Amino acid sequence: METATLPPRLLALLESGAPLAVLTGAGVSAESGLATFRGPQGMWEGLDPASLATPQAFQNDPLTVWRFYAWRRRQALAAEPNPAHVALAAWESAATGRFQLVTQNVDGLHERAGSRGAIRLHGTLWRLRCSVDAHEHDDFREELGPLPPRCTCGAPLRPAVVWFGEPLPTAAIESAERAAREAALVLVAGTSSTVYPAAALPRIARAAGAYVVEINPEATALTSEVDLHLRGAAGRLVPELARHAGVTSGSA
Ligand code: OAD
């Protein structure tokens, strides 16, 4: 569907500045050149998540896991925010009502585009935390050495991302669930909606009465449950929706 023919209810929600929550996934960074996880070119097609993105993997082979995340940081640093990131940052600044960005992405591109209040459900590549006491260490930008550095307690530091089998940060998921329950409009962009609890958020929102729009070039596990599936790239569609909300970001 072209956004020129958006349903009247969606247009009314956008134009009135109704409480908005936006959930993003790896597809939002695809146009910045970062690989998604699933699908034919997805990272988990050629790489085994169990040996790269689990606490057991880090315990058994910290060097391989460390190298994987060093590679991910290099990829993320080489990428630039795209019009979807830029439009969401502008939307946050311009919003008069509630605006809550919730991301599963760890690449930092939302923040680099200017988003300030994003809830990071899966952590970030740009912080480290102690593998024993979970204490977080400062943001950093520069490339780290070939081995995980040590915490002051002596344990190896690990990326401050959520690995398979680990719980999400409690404050993050609780705030995200609250935003989902309180939103009148939810945009779900660039996620396959297969990883929980993030994938439950649009369902929570819809059960609480929100109008849920999915932005994705493909059908997903969520598509049959949304009010509207806008089939296409986030880099085009997110700025278009933002414009309907009166937000211009200079991103299109
Ligand atoms: P996936 O790789 O599962 O899904 C990416 C989605 O983005 C797919 O549905 C694509 O169709 C869609 N997509 C691709 N290009 C797009 C574009 N230009 N615009 C909009 N959509 C596009 O990524 P996630 O759903 O984010 O978790 O994955 C969820 C979690 O699984 C990740 O956070 C990560 C991963 O394993 C952890 O590492 C804990």
Side-chain angles (χ1 to χ4, degrees):
M1 179 182 287
E2 288 302 315
T3 58
T5 55
L6 291 177
R9 182 165 168 207
L10 174 56
L11 286 172
L13 287 163
L14 289 167
E15 287 162 13
S16 67
L20 171 64
V22 183
L23 174 65
T24 64
V28 159
S29 294
E31 290 159 85
S32 295
L34 297 181
T36 59
F37 295 97
R38 295 170 185 82
Q41 258 99 54
M43 216 182 296
W44 296 151
E45 278 302 302
L47 300 170
D48 171 23
S51 56
L52 294 169
T54 62
Q56 293 75 19
F58 189 69
Q59 212 171 4
N60 297 341
D61 188 356
L63 187 56
T64 297
V65 173
W66 186 253
R67 280 192 188 135
F68 173 62
Y69 282 92
W71 172 73
R72 302 251 326 254
R73 284 193 297 270
R74 283 196 300 277
Q75 303 271 312
L77 259 193
E80 293 296 331
N82 68 53
H85 300 108
V86 174
L88 289 170
W91 207 335
E92 179 187 66
S93 309
T96 48
R98 175 109 198 246
F99 175 99
Q100 184 60 62
L101 175 60
V102 181
T103 188
Q104 299 166 85
N105 298 345
V106 297
D107 54 35
L109 289 178
H110 282 305
E111 289 80 1
R112 281 172 57 199
S115 287
R116 291 290 161 258
I119 296 173
R120 296 189 293 224
L121 289 178
H122 293 167
T124 174
L125 290 174
W126 302 108
R127 289 177 76 82
L128 299 177
R129 71 179 161 91
C130 177
S131 55
V132 171
D133 70 13
H135 178 78
E136 283 210 12
H137 290 248
D138 284 344
D139 290 84
F140 60 90
R141 306 286 307 168
E142 75 280 8
E143 197 41 61
L144 294 158
L147 285 170
R150 298 257 160 196
C151 178
T152 44
C153 77
L157 291 171
R158 50 162 282 185
V161 298
V162 174
W163 281 332
F164 288 100
E166 293 186 317
L168 272 59
T170 309
I173 189 63
E174 283 179 1
S175 307
E177 284 172 357
R178 196 174 323 116
R181 281 193 303 272
E182 292 173 0
L185 173 62
V186 174
L187 308 181
V188 185
T191 176
S192 59
S193 292
T194 50
V195 174
Y196 285 79
L201 293 170
R203 286 140 175 150
I204 291 171
R206 195 142 186 267
Y211 188 88
V212 178
V213 179
E214 180 178 52
I215 297 164
N216 199 308
E218 312 285 340
T220 72
L222 183 71
T223 303
S224 63
E225 298 174 53
V226 297
D227 294 285
L228 180 67
H229 177 203
L230 289 175
R231 190 177 285 272
R236 175 175 70 85
L237 291 168
V238 173
E240 279 192 40
L241 293 179
R243 273 195 295 279
H244 282 287
V247 179
T248 47
S249 58
S251 57

